[in-house]
Amino acid sequence: MVPSLEEIVKVIDDVQADVVALQEVDVNCPRTDRINQVEELGRRLGMTPHFFSLVDWGQFQHPRENEGLYGLGFLSRMNLRLLDFAHIHLPLMSPLSEPRGVFQLRLDWQGKPFSILNTHLSVQRRENLLQIEAVRELVQQVCSEQGECILMGDFNSRGRTRAMQRLRSVMQECVPMGLPRSTFPSRFPMLQLDRIFTGGGLASYPSRVLASPNARKASDHLPIQVELKF
């Protein structure tokens, strides 16, 4: 599916999200017309863009890409002040594996600091399990040292593995209410790959999978929305 910034803008604008976690973000890639996607989305929505480059296509061997950057992004409202950020690389099982990571922001909302983490994990099962365990150790440390935190992203896991159960032992999942609960593929969702968790004393609330016509056009995954109370 060809990414549509216009449809993404419509989805975010419709829900008036305060923070948006983005995966598979292109910056200056020929395949997406050399647009800095996160900056362009921020400009159109009046939000602050944040980007973590995981892949430099000029250095990473790929048969179809040789220019630009690719990674994780955030958009945040102007009333959320950035306190700090971290780029964390996750373990890989092969030098040929696509680099994976966690993008962490430390934000302040009306004097209340919180951490929010965004990730996109491997589709390879053994590598995926290894990365979920690394994410669990990371969020356990973040929640312990920094308090309230949110973890979200594309886990490429149906959620029944022991590694996911161990992640749920340190964070609470914001389970989708209603239908659909699955997020992939967006046209006919059958798999629940995308998830939101809370930890560090922050209560979890039911989430909602957005399945509007705009959401189905904007990506090959349906987005998840949750409203949290600090």
Side-chain angles (χ1 to χ4, degrees):
M1 179 181 293
V2 178
S4 169
L5 293 188
E6 182 178 348
E7 298 297 344
I8 294 171
V9 167
K10 289 177 182 177
V11 172
I12 298 171
D13 202 40
D14 283 347
V15 299
Q16 290 293 294
D18 293 306
V19 182
V20 181
L22 304 165
Q23 299 86 40
E24 299 188 354
V25 178
D26 277 359
V27 171
N28 303 325
C29 293
R31 64 183 177 185
T32 45
D33 299 324
R34 300 186 186 278
I35 295 171
N36 186 323
Q37 291 186 322
V38 70
E39 283 195 1
E40 180 62 18
L41 288 170
R43 184 188 68 79
R44 295 190 193 188
L45 289 158
M47 300 179 76
T48 303
H50 313 271
F51 179 65
F52 171 22
S53 173
L54 281 164
V55 178
D56 180 341
W57 291 119
Q59 299 178 10
F60 189 76
Q61 295 288 331
H62 193 277
R64 295 184 300 276
E65 303 297 331
N66 55 21
E67 291 182 67
L69 306 175
Y70 172 83
L72 300 168
F74 276 113
L75 299 170
S76 61
R77 291 291 175 194
M78 299 297 185
N79 63 341
L80 291 168
R81 184 166 60 94
L82 179 65
L83 300 176
D84 200 0
F85 68 91
H87 296 163
I88 300 101
H89 293 270
L90 293 174
L92 305 173
M93 297 195 72
S94 165
L96 299 178
S97 295
E98 179 183 316
R100 304 284 177 166
V102 178
F103 189 9
Q104 178 187 351
L105 298 185
R106 182 79 171 155
L107 298 170
D108 176 272
W109 179 74
Q110 297 184 355
K112 182 74 172 179
F114 65 97
S115 296
I116 186 163
L117 301 95
N118 176 14
T119 194
H120 181 196
L121 303 184
S122 174
V123 297
Q124 302 298 326
R125 179 176 170 78
R126 290 179 60 201
E127 198 166 65
N128 182 277
L129 297 174
L130 184 67
Q131 291 170 359
I132 292 175
E133 184 61 26
V135 169
R136 185 193 68 81
E137 292 177 2
L138 171 64
V139 294
Q140 189 171 31
Q141 179 181 356
V142 171
C143 292
S144 174
E145 296 178 356
Q146 300 180 13
E148 296 181 330
C149 62
I150 307 158
L151 169 67
M152 59 181 68
D154 177 0
F155 290 83
N156 272 315
S157 170
R158 297 189 183 190
R160 302 191 187 104
T161 64
R162 180 172 293 182
M164 288 296 294
Q165 292 173 359
R166 283 172 55 79
L167 177 58
R168 291 189 186 97
S169 72
V170 298
M171 300 195 86
Q172 302 176 82
E173 185 167 2
C174 298
V175 178
M177 62 178 179
L179 295 174
R181 295 178 64 144
S182 298
T183 59
F184 180 82
S186 57
R187 300 287 184 175
F188 303 100
M190 295 181 291
L191 303 175
Q192 186 183 352
L193 304 182
D194 307 88
R195 302 172 186 276
I196 301 175
F197 296 86
T198 62
L202 181 61
S204 65
Y205 288 82
S207 60
R208 181 165 66 101
V209 176
L210 304 180
S212 67
N214 285 337
R216 292 180 187 274
K217 295 176 187 176
S219 170
D220 59 346
H221 288 242
L222 292 176
I224 305 178
Q225 178 192 21
V226 67
E227 183 174 345
L228 300 174
K229 298 179 181 179
F230 290 88

